Amino acid sequence: MDRFTLDILRSVYGKKQTLGSFTLLDNNNPVFYGYTLELPWKDNERRVSCIPVGEYLSIRHKSPKHGWSFWLQDVPNRSEILIHKGNFYSDLLGCIALGSSTNDINNDGLLDVVNSKKTIDRLMEMVESDNLTINVHD
């Protein structure tokens, strides 16, 4: 088992987005908390759905579009799923955005994640390895 695990707990499934929280565990000890934003569940359809509940290995990755991120491996029937910076559901094509809190930044009536870049930067600093186990559950 990897030293670091990112535990994602989904709590609000909506028509346009899914909200949750995350806890970074270092040898099973919680060390960092925040919030997650994903697309809604649409039967795992590429580019419009969040991914299935499950455990995934991810690797540190520098995306040309999103910068440093973690790339989830072996997501059933999906590819190129990243944990990356983004504040709004419209920033996502099936990936997961992280933030320090939630707020309706753009006044569209939906909660967004706040301080996403700082949250991702902090995650990158804290995770000392190139691998991160991701647990996604309801």
Side-chain angles (χ1 to χ4, degrees):
M1 183 172 114
D2 294 313
R3 174 179 164 187
F4 292 96
T5 301
L6 191 71
D7 190 61
I8 296 174
L9 175 60
R10 294 174 175 157
S11 55
V12 180
Y13 284 89
K15 289 183 180 182
K16 293 188 177 184
Q17 64 187 29
T18 300
L19 293 168
S21 60
F22 75 84
T23 303
L24 178 65
L25 303 167
D26 180 352
N27 287 321
N28 291 319
N29 295 309
V31 294
F32 185 43
Y33 305 91
Y35 295 86
T36 61
L37 177 64
E38 301 176 76
L39 292 176
W41 176 251
K42 293 189 176 180
D43 297 320
N44 197 32
E45 188 177 335
R46 294 175 59 90
R47 302 175 66 90
V48 297
S49 177
C50 58
I51 63 173
V53 167
E55 180 175 294
Y56 304 96
L57 175 66
S58 69
I59 56 174
R60 191 180 299 262
H61 172 72
K62 189 163 188 183
S63 161
K65 182 176 180 181
H66 301 291
W68 284 109
S69 57
F70 278 100
W71 182 6
L72 281 70
Q73 305 297 296
D74 301 320
V75 177
N77 302 311
R78 303 284 290 276
S79 63
E80 301 169 8
I81 303 298
L82 302 176
I83 292 178
H84 65 74
K85 64 186 176 204
N87 297 101
F88 313 106
Y89 75 88
S90 58
D91 293 331
L92 304 171
L93 293 172
C95 296
I96 303 168
L98 304 182
S100 62
S101 61
T102 59
N103 197 355
D104 184 3
I105 301 170
N106 58 359
N107 297 312
D108 66 355
L110 299 172
L111 289 176
D112 311 300
V113 291
V114 177
N115 296 320
S116 187
K117 182 180 182 329
K118 288 182 182 179
T119 303
I120 291 290
D121 289 348
R122 183 72 179 128
L123 178 69
M124 292 296 159
E125 289 172 7
M126 294 184 79
V127 175
E128 297 168 351
S129 67
D130 287 335
N131 296 323
L132 177 63
T133 300
I134 311 294
N135 287 318
V136 180
H137 52 96
D138 294 329

